Amino acid sequence: MELLKLNHCLRILAISLGILSWAVISQAAGLSAAHHIQIELIPDAKKLIGRDDITIKTNGTEVLEFRLAKRATRIEVQVNKNPRNFNFENGRLRLTLKPHERFGELQVTILYAAKFDDPVPVHPINMDNPGFGVTGTISEKGSFLLAGAGWYPDLVDSPASYRATVTAPSGLIAVTAGRSLGHRIESGKSVSDWEVKYPVEGLSLSVARYVVEEKSRDGVISATYLLPQNRHLAPAYLEATAGYLSLFSDLFGAYPFQKFAVVENFFPTGFGFPSYTLLGGRVLQLPFIIRTSLGHEIAHCWWGNGVYVEATQGNWSEGLTTYVADYRFKEMKSREAAREHRQQWLRNYSTLVTPQNDFALDRFQSRYDTVTRTIGYDKGAMVFHMIRRILGEEAFWGALRDIYRNRLFRRTSWSDLQHAFESRSKQSLQDFFDQWVHRRGAPRISLDEVRAEHTGNIWQVKGQIIQRKPYFSFPLMLALEARKQTAIQKIFVSGRATSFEVSSDHPPQKLTADPADDIFRRLSPSEIPPAVNALKSSPTVITVLSAELDPEIKKAAATLALSLGLKHNEFVTESELDRQMLAENDILVIGLPRRNDLLLKMPAGITIQSDSFSLNEKLFKKPVDTFFGVFEHPAAANRIAALFMPLSPQYAEVVARKITHYGKYSYLAFQNGKNLAKGIWPVETSPLVHEWDQVN
Ligand SMILES: [Zn+2]
């Protein structure tokens, strides 16, 4: 997850609502387990009663250790049907094995009860953290039990296969990974049976009053588990799911699971698990989810939930999934859409990641804020793009097929990926991985000393690419435009200065380095139009309340500051804002100020009045209209000013919650709380472009 297109901004919303790939990683110890989990949910008491019959192949192990909910009670343990003493402390249940039990097969039965009542967010305001800290909750509305919550005894350090039988009050249906063995009614209760035959590192469970729909294509079931009010969405999701499954199967190899299910969550969180995705109802209703997040989550069934991540060496799966799904969908649309997407990655990195909070890609584990998202997803994807540019189509996609074939259900590291790309392309990528994966930062480059020399009928364009430290080495394209013709030349940049020479039969007009934005780099400030993201990552903001502001709009201003996650934010009235405060801070102005010195740098194309505004010649004057824009600061270079101007209090609060999802945009217009217009100011100058004055 461009006044750009609707689907793009909605994608940001989807991401912010949190779609997180789930792969629990631990150290393998040679144990393997087959569970038969039988639980009964008692939603009115927020608890479950469980029994797990586990067949374990021991391998010299002296102590078996299980993760089980800290608050588990009524625990009983049997080994080969005989009661056994155990130790249970701080969510760890330990059994000491007798010498003759340490090699071979053991039958361990664990009985337990546990309460799960994590509070569930209803209308979260700031959604950069996708998990909301909820790991387990059982309620009348639904139940959500994450793999790490200890809802069954999870044998530490061992992948396992599962049979899960979930009994619940009538009408409640359980869904998890693997294959459904059916849902039935028994003694007035509902029973759901599931089987997971491949090695999963932790099982999650969702239970609610689902309406189940299924569709089979090429031996794989697409399924939806939706709450009754969203059941009408099923046909579109089933169709799209089947389409993605065949798209990715063609690209990478056969889908590794028997089904893929779209499961509705009863609160606004989203996850991608092996063979299903769990999305909040409001997210599912967004029309672009089918075109964006759904494909991303399905791609994770190959990358992250199929080929596992060796997390000790960094999580590569988000970058790769973003590249082969989100980015590839843009590429399938058009070359220009793909390029805009790459530009956005560069803008995100350049505005959201500073030299202080930057870190190497191999240190990325999971997304919990905009910095981790930008490095793990955006930079990660751009690194795969650069690998593809070096390797070419056949070797790049071939290497991904090799990795999938050789490493399905195995923990896989950046170096495993490196080896696969190297053996397909028959070249060392050590320097590439060292600088892009194992080192933080990004190149900062500019054109320098560009000049054209005319001899005979030939123009020689000479110049240098100058790098600031730390230096990177990479191939770089140069495009020289001369009389409607473009000459492309590839050079190899390294060190502080790299000289180049390009010749042309015509007088040169424009020289552009990296014309297609194929290189991951830190943009110069002139290349980044002011946008919502700049406000979100600002170190200090002063929120300026204009005079005679409606109290409801004041309240919305507080919501806006909170949802943007503003740091060191201070509220002042416009009369309290002195010259020094103005010069030393980014400002967010609420309502049309009386002072005329705050919005001096508002771009052409926008007119603001007390009861109307116009944007690119479109007039907005209804009380239900709201304007939001980010511009250059009136008094300080490299700072920004923003204006939030609802024409009445009516939709102020609604819009205040939404703006944070439009991070890359410079300006937004809303009507009745819905976005009607959005855009990014054009870039006026770039250090990678040199233009010649046109004589004649
Ligand atoms: Zn993902």
Side-chain angles (χ1 to χ4, degrees):
M1 30 262 127
E2 172 149 284
L3 278 207
L4 304 195
K5 294 155 227 119
L6 179 66
N7 62 343
H8 242 191
C9 73
L10 292 176
R11 162 120 183 84
I12 291 174
L13 173 59
I15 288 190
S16 305
L17 288 170
I19 291 157
L20 190 75
S21 166
W22 191 257
V24 178
I25 302 300
S26 59
Q27 201 58 51
L31 282 169
S32 73
H35 292 256
H36 184 189
I37 305 166
Q38 301 135 83
I39 60 165
E40 174 158 10
L41 295 174
I42 304 159
D44 50 11
K46 298 183 180 301
K47 71 173 195 180
L48 62 80
I49 296 169
R51 172 191 175 115
D52 193 0
D53 292 305
I54 317 162
T55 308
I56 300 169
K57 287 210 175 72
T58 53
N59 192 9
T61 327
E62 291 175 23
V63 177
L64 294 179
E65 184 172 317
F66 300 86
R67 251 180 243 113
L68 186 61
K70 280 183 191 164
R71 292 193 288 165
T73 55
R74 292 162 52 187
I75 304 174
E76 286 173 41
V77 178
Q78 296 167 8
V79 176
N80 292 336
K81 301 198 172 154
N82 296 314
R84 175 64 59 92
N85 289 334
F86 60 89
N87 171 284
F88 182 62
E89 211 172 5
N90 205 21
R92 295 284 168 137
L93 189 153
R94 291 181 186 87
L95 298 182
T96 305
L97 296 184
K98 296 175 180 165
H100 71 275
E101 295 168 339
R102 291 176 191 168
F103 290 91
E105 200 169 278
L106 274 189
Q107 197 63 45
V108 175
T109 297
I110 301 175
L111 299 129
Y112 58 99
K115 194 167 179 177
F116 293 91
D117 58 357
D118 285 354
V120 164
V122 184
H123 295 299
I125 289 181
N126 187 323
M127 294 185 280
D128 275 335
N129 179 350
F132 302 112
V134 180
T135 61
T137 193
I138 296 175
S139 74
E140 307 263 3
K141 249 179 120 179
S143 298
F144 166 81
L145 296 160
L146 267 188
W151 62 276
Y152 66 91
D154 181 16
L155 183 58
V156 174
D157 298 339
S158 68
S161 60
Y162 300 86
R163 170 89 190 264
T165 306
V166 180
T167 305
S170 166
L172 288 170
I173 296 228
V175 56
T176 182
R179 186 165 74 101
S180 167
L181 301 180
H183 311 284
R184 59 183 192 276
I185 301 288
E186 233 175 65
S187 318
K189 289 177 177 167
S190 130
V191 181
S192 306
D193 256 313
W194 288 86
E195 178 184 63
V196 189
K197 283 192 161 168
Y198 44 84
V200 174
E201 300 186 312
L203 200 65
S204 299
L205 184 76
S206 287
V207 184
R209 299 193 176 276
Y210 290 127
V211 180
V212 185
E213 307 263 3
E214 290 187 348
K215 170 179 176 157
S216 179
R217 193 193 281 179
D218 303 328
V220 179
I221 294 163
S222 302
T224 51
Y225 286 72
L226 302 177
L227 295 176
Q229 65 269 28
N230 278 332
R231 63 184 303 173
H232 62 282
L233 300 171
Y237 274 97
L238 291 175
E239 184 60 33
T241 297
Y244 287 124
L245 290 173
S246 78
L247 174 81
F248 294 130
S249 294
D250 289 348
L251 262 182
F252 309 125
Y255 182 64
F257 308 115
Q258 296 101 329
K259 68 117 184 358
F260 186 87
V262 175
V263 181
E264 180 168 350
N265 200 2
F266 60 97
F267 63 99
T269 304
F271 287 95
F273 298 108
S275 84
Y276 72 107
T277 185
L278 182 64
L279 301 171
R282 270 179 40 220
V283 176
L284 282 167
Q285 290 162 2
L286 299 170
F288 54 87
I289 292 295
I290 283 191
R291 299 195 300 273
T292 56
S293 311
L294 179 65
H296 179 103
E297 292 315 315
I298 293 177
H300 268 309
C301 290
W302 280 262
W303 309 114
N305 293 328
V307 177
Y308 294 146
V309 170
E310 176 54 65
T312 54
Q313 292 180 46
N315 179 356
W316 46 265
S317 79
E318 293 303 347
L320 181 56
T321 301
T322 301
Y323 191 65
V324 301
D326 312 54
Y327 173 77
R328 203 174 145 78
F329 305 152
K330 297 287 168 196
E331 208 174 59
M332 287 158 75
K333 206 161 131 195
S334 73
R335 190 186 277 253
E336 193 46 36
R339 185 196 162 169
E340 277 173 19
H341 208 69
R342 295 194 297 274
Q343 282 175 331
Q344 190 54 47
W345 290 336
L346 302 187
R347 270 188 230 121
N348 289 348
Y349 178 78
S350 307
T351 49
L352 300 168
V353 179
T354 64
Q356 288 73 40
N357 63 24
D358 199 0
F359 58 86
L361 198 48
D362 67 6
R363 290 185 50 209
F364 170 72
Q365 295 291 339
S366 68
R367 161 169 76 88
Y368 52 85
D369 60 14
T370 50
V371 174
T372 44
R373 184 175 75 201
T374 304
I375 293 173
Y377 289 62
D378 301 356
K379 180 179 183 181
M382 197 68 193
V383 164
F384 286 102
H385 180 71
M386 291 189 290
I387 294 175
R388 183 178 168 198
R389 300 273 306 165
I390 292 170
L391 263 61
E393 293 300 287
E394 205 183 313
F396 178 77
W397 298 106
L400 291 179
R401 282 194 294 277
D402 295 344
I403 295 161
Y404 178 66
R405 193 177 53 245
N406 298 329
R407 303 207 60 89
L408 181 62
F409 302 132
R410 293 172 66 192
R411 291 175 192 158
T412 297
S413 66
W414 276 110
S415 44
D416 296 319
L417 267 57
Q418 179 184 336
H419 294 142
F421 288 122
E422 285 175 337
S423 68
R424 273 278 176 168
S425 67
K426 306 201 168 33
Q427 60 178 304
S428 168
L429 295 170
Q430 194 58 48
D431 291 347
F432 180 97
F433 274 77
D434 282 346
Q435 69 181 3
W436 297 115
V437 176
H438 305 308
R439 201 173 91 189
R440 64 193 198 135
R444 286 175 296 169
I445 53 173
S446 53
L447 283 170
D448 194 32
E449 293 180 21
V450 176
R451 61 212 183 269
E453 291 167 8
H454 184 196
T455 42
N457 290 330
I458 301 281
W459 280 260
Q460 288 289 354
V461 172
K462 295 180 180 174
Q464 290 187 329
I465 297 290
I466 299 291
Q467 271 201 85
R468 286 204 256 162
K469 275 186 178 170
Y471 304 139
F472 286 71
S473 307
F474 50 91
L476 180 74
M477 305 306 264
L478 298 175
L480 180 65
E481 291 168 47
R483 202 181 283 174
K484 293 185 182 163
Q485 285 179 359
T486 304
I488 299 282
Q489 184 162 319
K490 183 157 127 181
I491 61 169
F492 196 83
V493 170
S494 64
R496 194 191 75 83
T498 306
S499 303
F500 61 82
E501 220 177 293
V502 191
S503 55
S504 165
D505 295 339
H506 303 290
Q509 293 166 314
K510 185 177 178 187
L511 177 72
T512 309
D514 195 24
D517 296 292
D518 288 319
I519 299 298
F520 184 71
R521 66 185 175 96
R522 185 170 283 284
L523 303 174
S524 81
S526 71
E527 293 174 280
I528 309 166
V532 174
N533 274 339
L535 193 62
K536 288 172 84 167
S537 60
S538 161
T540 56
V541 180
I542 289 201
T543 300
V544 185
L545 304 170
S546 55
E548 291 165 34
L549 204 57
D550 185 286
E552 287 298 311
I553 296 183
K554 260 188 215 167
K555 238 174 84 189
T559 302
L560 177 65
L562 196 63
S563 74
L564 292 170
L566 299 187
K567 289 176 271 297
H568 306 291
N569 180 45
E570 192 184 332
F571 287 83
V572 301
T573 61
E574 58 176 298
S575 55
E576 286 165 350
L577 181 74
D578 62 31
R579 189 189 290 256
Q580 190 184 355
M581 283 160 82
L582 177 63
E584 290 176 355
N585 294 280
D586 293 321
I587 56 167
L588 165 58
V589 181
I590 310 294
L592 186 67
R594 284 195 187 157
R595 301 166 56 154
N596 56 15
D597 63 335
L598 299 182
L599 305 171
L600 289 174
K601 299 275 179 80
M602 195 169 282
I606 290 193
T607 333
I608 303 282
Q609 310 212 303
S610 59
D611 56 356
S612 72
F613 59 90
S614 75
L615 199 53
N616 303 329
E617 294 175 7
K618 183 171 169 31
L619 181 66
F620 293 83
K621 57 173 185 182
K622 296 185 182 155
V624 292
D625 294 340
T626 300
F627 174 80
F628 188 85
V630 188
F631 333 100
E632 282 178 43
H633 193 281
N638 293 333
R639 289 196 193 280
I640 49 162
L643 173 66
F644 174 55
M645 202 185 75
L647 297 186
S648 81
Q650 210 180 335
Y651 285 93
E653 179 76 18
V654 174
V655 173
R657 287 169 184 269
K658 289 189 172 180
I659 288 164
T660 187
H661 303 305
Y662 293 80
K664 66 184 187 188
Y665 295 101
S666 305
Y667 60 90
L668 302 161
F670 293 87
Q671 195 161 77
N672 298 313
K674 292 206 169 78
N675 181 256
L676 273 200
K678 56 190 188 297
I680 302 175
W681 314 123
V683 170
E684 315 224 310
T685 59
S686 161
L688 296 192
V689 176
H690 180 94
E691 287 186 87
W692 282 266
D693 295 333
Q694 293 310 301
V695 211
N696 59 27

